[in-house]
Amino acid sequence: MTDRRPAEVFPPGEFLADELEARGWTQTEFAEIIGRPQKLVNDVILGKRAITPETAADFAAALGTSAQFWMNLETAWQLSKVPPRDDSIARAAKLRERFPVREMCKRGWIKLGDSAAELERNVLSFFNLSSIEDPIEFQHAARRNYKREVTAHQWAWIFRVSQLATALKTPPYSEASLRKRSSELEQLMAEPEAIRNVPRILFECGVRLVVVEPIPGSEIQGVCFWINENKSPVIGLTLKGDQIDKFWFDLWHELEHVLNGDGKGGLIIEDFDESKAGDDEAEIRANRAAANHCVPLGAMNDFFLRHNPMFSEKSFLGFARIMKRHPGVVAGQLQKRTGRWDLFKKHQAKIRHIITETALTDGYGVNS
């Protein structure tokens, strides 16, 4: 006998009763054949007992079917008794599949709510969406030269930066003021503690600096965009890679974008990987300006040519002192120039705990 599949769902016991009748077997005789109590056979036929894998194997051996056939009958019957579900479970699963709901709730960006429907409304409100299927849209699309698709994790981080930046009230942005005070910012590069003054100076120039701890796996380092009809620049940083040289390079990179009006026509998403700049003129310009602010390029070239490949601690520290830069800032630029990432690494001081004390911050133990 080959496997048979029921055309409609009914209790497996009914099918068993039909099989016994077709063979002219009584329940007692069938029980003797399979070596089981007659009550078990009767209970299955009356629907009082479910078919177990062991029972299915015995039925299959006696009736020439497969054990899977009887298990399928039992499963189909049990499922037929389950009340139909609405789409709330599927919608909840889709919501969490598309958006980093758990992280967003954990960080207080949205409220979990008392129901799946309320949670969905909260998520959609965060992203300004009408439905789960709608594409995420920001005030500017990501610039064309951002090679990868922006993920929902990245969008969540960007929207949080935007929320905080919008809530921050600053004076009108002044390009002239920012250019004038760039020298004041450079003076802060000699000591890690001086970094706490950066947010104040940028604020006074009308630049909104926001620090948001990244969502794990989001692979994003920073962002630059404009709000208030392209009148107010926003710089968002993750502070991944907590060291003084990276902070200053990343900040100067973004400030160059601001000074050149980059980001007005397209959201600039950063990973600050100089090797990926390619032929993007805005990125090449921002990288060069950032490097020059960290250590003036002429002086850096001269120091490199005179000492490469033997860089002594004494000459290195002397050069940093002359440049009025913290040694960690110089170390970062020297590492990029040589490709020797361990060179003077001990001087790359951590600064995250300093900047988050004065910058508008969400994460890293700070609740905005």
Side-chain angles (χ1 to χ4, degrees):
M1 179 183 291
T2 59
D3 275 12
R4 288 165 291 183
R5 299 184 182 278
E8 59 182 276
V9 178
F10 57 89
E14 291 187 16
F15 188 84
L16 176 60
D18 290 344
E19 289 294 301
L20 296 185
E21 183 179 353
R23 288 168 173 75
W25 293 346
T26 64
Q27 294 181 24
T28 301
E29 188 174 10
F30 183 64
E32 291 173 351
I33 292 173
I34 64 176
R36 296 291 199 97
Q38 188 270 336
K39 186 176 186 309
L40 178 146
V41 177
N42 184 253
D43 285 348
V44 170
I45 289 177
L46 294 178
K48 295 181 178 180
R49 180 181 300 207
I51 295 177
T52 65
E54 293 77 11
T55 303
D58 289 344
F59 285 7
L63 300 174
T65 62
S66 69
Q68 187 63 53
F69 171 73
W70 291 98
M71 293 306 301
N72 288 344
L73 283 174
E74 181 63 40
T75 299
W77 172 243
Q78 294 299 335
L79 285 174
S80 72
K81 296 188 291 183
V82 177
R85 296 291 194 269
D86 58 29
D87 67 346
S88 61
I89 294 178
R91 293 184 67 83
K94 188 172 184 178
L95 189 74
R96 291 175 181 267
E97 180 180 300
R98 184 178 181 196
F99 305 106
V101 174
R102 186 170 182 274
E103 281 291 332
M104 294 170 70
C105 289
K106 178 182 176 182
R107 297 177 185 216
W109 297 359
I110 58 172
K111 292 183 179 180
L112 184 61
D114 297 325
S115 65
E118 184 177 355
L119 175 61
E120 180 178 325
R121 287 194 297 272
N122 293 340
V123 173
L124 295 181
S125 176
F126 181 90
F127 288 104
N128 298 319
L129 300 176
S130 299
S131 71
I132 300 177
E133 292 77 17
D134 288 347
I136 297 175
E137 295 181 354
F138 196 62
Q139 58 181 355
H140 298 307
R143 72 187 195 281
R144 290 191 304 273
N145 48 28
Y146 185 71
K147 302 298 190 297
R148 294 168 293 177
E149 180 181 355
V150 183
T151 67
H153 285 61
Q154 292 174 330
W155 278 129
W157 183 87
I158 292 168
F159 269 76
R160 184 55 177 165
V161 170
S162 180
Q163 287 178 352
L164 296 178
T166 302
L168 184 61
K169 305 303 180 184
T170 65
Y173 167 63
S174 169
E175 179 185 337
S177 178
L178 182 57
R179 290 188 183 279
K180 181 178 180 180
R181 302 191 71 176
S182 290
S183 59
E184 187 176 345
L185 287 171
E186 286 189 352
Q187 293 173 16
L188 304 180
M189 299 174 71
E191 295 294 337
E193 284 294 328
I195 285 176
R196 68 177 65 255
N197 296 302
V198 169
R200 173 183 56 79
I201 295 173
L202 295 183
F203 175 89
E204 293 169 355
C205 295
V207 178
R208 291 168 163 85
L209 174 64
V210 178
V211 173
V212 177
E213 184 178 354
I215 295 176
S218 61
E219 296 184 354
I220 193 169
Q221 299 274 7
V223 68
C224 176
F225 57 90
W226 296 66
I227 60 176
N228 300 334
E229 299 179 343
N230 286 332
K231 295 178 181 178
S232 302
V234 175
I235 293 175
L237 296 176
T238 64
L239 298 186
K240 289 175 67 174
D242 179 17
Q243 54 196 48
I244 189 170
D245 61 298
K246 179 167 176 55
F247 168 78
W248 279 112
F249 181 88
D250 294 354
L251 180 66
W252 285 118
H253 180 107
E254 296 296 358
L255 288 176
E256 182 67 13
H257 281 313
V258 170
L259 289 169
N260 285 286
D262 300 334
K264 290 184 177 181
L267 177 72
I268 299 177
I269 300 175
E270 307 282 13
D271 56 17
F272 296 116
D273 186 342
E274 295 176 67
S275 65
K276 296 179 181 178
D279 58 356
D280 182 349
E281 293 183 3
E283 289 302 304
I284 294 172
R285 182 174 59 241
N287 284 336
R288 184 174 179 82
N292 190 55
H293 279 293
C294 287
V295 183
L297 292 176
M300 185 77 247
N301 289 335
D302 181 65
F303 177 78
F304 178 80
L305 292 174
R306 285 189 294 109
H307 296 276
N308 186 48
M310 302 299 293
F311 300 99
S312 69
E313 182 90 3
K314 182 178 179 180
S315 62
F316 165 73
L317 293 177
F319 178 64
R321 187 164 51 252
I322 294 172
M323 291 294 99
K324 298 181 180 179
R325 300 291 191 266
H326 185 274
V329 176
V330 180
Q333 291 305 300
L334 197 56
Q335 289 171 2
K336 291 178 181 179
R337 183 68 63 93
T338 63
R340 295 165 54 185
W341 303 106
D342 60 336
L343 194 60
F344 303 119
K345 186 175 182 178
K346 66 180 181 179
H347 294 287
Q348 292 171 303
K350 296 184 181 300
I351 50 79
R352 183 189 295 153
H353 65 288
I354 300 172
I355 189 65
T356 54
E357 289 181 355
T358 56
L360 182 56
T361 302
D362 187 326
Y364 299 121
V366 180
N367 294 320
S368 298

